[in-house]
Amino acid sequence: MFFIKLLDEEDVEYCSKGMKELTYQDGSLTQPLNKSYRVKQNKQTSSVPEHIRKYLIDIFYNHSYIDSVYCPNRVSVNFYNKYQKDDYYNIHVDAFKAMPKSNNVYFDYGFSINLNDNYEGGNFLMHTDVGPVSKQLKAGEAVIFPIIYPHGVTPVTKGTRENILGWLSSNVSYEQAFILKNLYDVNVYLRDKDKDAFVESTLVQTYLKKAWGR
């Protein structure tokens, strides 16, 4: 799981402006478990406007960390969510296979991008091997997480939480992504300490990214 400042103020304003005229539906319609018990309560759009979808996909592909660690080969920007007071999303696991299932597209990571932070509650919550991790995302901040982990959103207690969510797929395994993350951190350190070692370490990471990300 990785928290990152993905959008600056201009990006957030651009995305928020593009969502103003959208029509909302019951968010539970996209969660099959809601037929058995109440998992999700919020409002969401059926899609994201095409110009914003492309805008965010370009950001994901051109972001140095995301490209170096996750090596995405598909980014899907799916919904715009609004969580108002008392809305929530209980702990759940995302489906690995994208809709429509006939396309045989599988995802490896989920992501959620916040467009505001003037609310209370509404923490992103994930159950990990070392226990639960809970965080209220700032405006422009995103969380990228392996969809093997159960996750959810705690109830909003004040205001409205606005976010865009989607998924991405990669040929890089979780173990390989862990190695690429460590190499990225080493490169960041070496960049200001040892330029020659930085170049050599970057070569290793670039080669592994090419070999594993195909």
Side-chain angles (χ1 to χ4, degrees):
M1 177 172 53
F2 181 66
F3 296 100
I4 184 173
K5 179 68 173 178
L6 187 68
L7 308 181
D8 61 23
E9 290 186 10
E10 291 184 359
D11 295 328
V12 170
E13 182 178 356
Y14 179 78
C15 292
S16 297
K17 184 178 180 180
M19 303 294 182
K20 295 299 183 184
E21 306 301 323
L22 297 180
T23 301
Y24 298 93
Q25 63 182 17
D26 183 353
S28 67
L29 295 175
T30 58
Q31 175 48 266
L33 287 175
N34 250 68
K35 296 178 181 179
S36 302
Y37 68 101
R38 193 69 176 174
V39 181
K40 181 181 183 184
Q41 177 176 297
N42 76 329
K43 296 293 184 183
Q44 70 182 36
T45 63
S46 60
S47 62
V48 172
E50 185 67 10
H51 67 288
I52 294 178
R53 188 185 70 83
K54 289 182 177 179
Y55 186 78
L56 292 174
I57 288 174
D58 283 343
I59 288 177
F60 268 88
Y61 276 116
N62 290 303
H63 193 279
S64 175
Y65 183 91
I66 294 172
D67 175 62
S68 297
V69 175
Y70 300 114
C71 308
N73 55 35
R74 181 184 178 94
V75 178
S76 180
V77 180
N78 294 75
F79 304 115
Y80 171 66
N81 281 320
K82 288 175 68 173
Y83 289 82
Q84 298 174 312
K85 188 176 183 298
D86 298 326
D87 284 351
Y88 61 88
Y89 200 164
N90 285 335
I91 291 294
H92 64 283
V93 176
D94 291 343
F96 285 78
K97 197 171 187 180
M99 298 294 290
K101 293 187 176 181
S102 58
N103 287 342
N104 288 316
V105 173
Y106 293 85
F107 292 122
D108 304 293
Y109 296 90
F111 63 83
S112 178
I113 310 167
N114 258 43
L115 296 184
N116 73 315
D117 50 27
N118 56 337
Y119 63 92
E120 296 177 7
N123 284 17
F124 177 83
L125 175 64
M126 173 165 284
H127 288 182
T128 72
D129 294 341
V130 296
V133 176
S134 178
K135 189 178 192 302
Q136 186 184 74
L137 302 179
K138 299 296 184 181
E141 190 175 14
V143 57
I144 303 173
F145 57 92
I147 61 174
I148 59 172
Y149 287 118
H151 57 280
V153 177
T154 64
V156 172
T157 57
K158 183 179 180 181
T160 300
R161 177 185 191 264
E162 303 176 46
N163 74 305
I164 296 174
L165 63 84
W167 293 268
L168 62 89
S169 56
S170 171
N171 290 330
V172 174
S173 70
Y174 295 141
E175 294 84 359
Q176 290 167 338
F178 179 77
I179 293 171
L180 290 173
K181 176 188 180 300
N182 280 274
L183 276 172
Y184 184 90
D185 292 341
V186 169
N187 290 345
V188 170
Y189 174 81
L190 290 175
R191 184 175 55 205
D192 298 324
K193 302 291 184 180
D194 188 330
K195 291 295 191 296
D196 291 336
F198 166 70
V199 171
E200 294 175 358
S201 181
T202 301
L203 172 62
V204 173
Q205 183 180 41
T206 302
Y207 174 79
L208 290 178
K209 184 174 69 172
K210 173 187 174 184
W212 292 343
R214 286 180 174 178

